[in-house]
């Protein structure tokens, strides 16, 4: 089955700096890659997603890039703010079932 | 719109006891998922329903876990008997259909088995 690896497990940045989280996947048939943000004790919430027919997608301060050949995708957050502090999960799925395989998560801390 | 509702929010039980979790998906969402999230890990899919039918339960430990969605709306997940390693947050998610639609998560039920 699919295996998703995520790095780093923890990341601390100064407010205003950029943060990058990287994920690799094993199944070349995977075609949908969402990113979820989970604040402590709260539900995971989708922040951005990308499909395999696109190499990059941007939404304000958040962008995701996908390299299908290398089977990796990354989340980029620019101009970080303290409210960006949370655990971020990448995930991958294939086909129409949308069964997500999640990475292990990255605890992002934005220092004021 | 109302989100995915789950209850209870917290549950503490002794090992070998039984427990049940309830999920009410977003109205009109045909697809429902149960995920298990162990502390410090990403959610892991247990079972997926499409309406009242099971799409995939390959990762559900069927010797102790069961789930149903009898009328294609609400769903229950049961553990009988519980083990210490079942301690986790159980997340329910729903999506409009199986295709290119976002999965919305509930707040989860935090289970502690002592």
């Amino acid at each position: 089955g699919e295996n998703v690896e995520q790095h780093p497990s923890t990341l601390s940045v100064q407010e205003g700096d950029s943060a990058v989280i990287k994920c690799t996947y094993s199944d070349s048939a995977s075609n949908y890659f969402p990113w979820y943000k989970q604040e402590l004790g709260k539900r995971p919430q989708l922040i951005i997603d990308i499909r395999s027919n696109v190499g990059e997608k941007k939404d304000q301060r958040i962008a995701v890039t996908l390299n299908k050949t290398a089977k990796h995708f990354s989340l980029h957050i620019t101009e970080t703010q303290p409210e960006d502090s949370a655990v971020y999960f990448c995930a991958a799925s294939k086909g129409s079932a949308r069964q997500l395989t999640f990475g292990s998560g990255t605890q992002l801390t934005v220092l004021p | 719109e109302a989100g995915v509702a789950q209850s209870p929010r917290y549950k503490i039980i002794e090992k070998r006891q039984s427990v049940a979790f309830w999920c009410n998906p977003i109205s009109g969402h045909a697809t429902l998922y149960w995920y298990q999230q162990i502390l410090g890990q990403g959610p892991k899919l247990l079972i997926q329903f499409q309406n009242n039918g099971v799409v995939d339960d390959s990762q559900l430990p069927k010797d102790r876990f069961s789930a149903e969605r009898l009328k294609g709306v609400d769903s229950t997940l049961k553990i009988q008997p519980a083990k210490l390693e079942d301690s986790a947050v159980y997340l329910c998610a729903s999506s409009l259909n199986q295709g290119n639609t976002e999965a919305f998560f509930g707040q989860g039920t935090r289970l502690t088995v002592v």
Side-chain angles (χ1 to χ4, degrees), chain A residues 27-109:
Chain A
D27 191 339
S28 56
S30 289
N31 57 7
Y32 175 69
F33 307 92
W35 286 87
Y36 284 83
K37 176 182 180 182
Q38 188 174 30
E39 297 178 39
L40 189 63
K42 296 190 176 181
R43 71 190 75 195
Q45 292 194 298
L46 181 72
I47 55 171
I48 195 167
D49 57 12
I50 191 168
R51 291 173 174 80
S52 58
N53 58 347
V54 176
E56 184 174 357
K57 183 177 179 181
K58 189 174 182 180
D59 183 4
Q60 298 183 344
R61 298 186 295 109
I62 295 174
V64 58
T65 59
L66 172 65
N67 183 325
K68 288 168 51 181
T69 303
K71 290 190 285 187
H72 67 70
F73 55 113
S74 301
L75 177 71
H76 305 252
I77 306 174
T78 58
E79 301 172 25
T80 53
Q81 302 167 4
E83 51 265 39
D84 294 330
S85 296
V87 178
Y88 291 81
F89 291 98
C90 62
S93 73
K94 63 180 179 182
S96 62
R98 197 49 52 80
Q99 297 162 4
L100 299 173
T101 299
F102 283 84
S104 54
T106 297
Q107 172 69 63
L108 174 65
T109 302

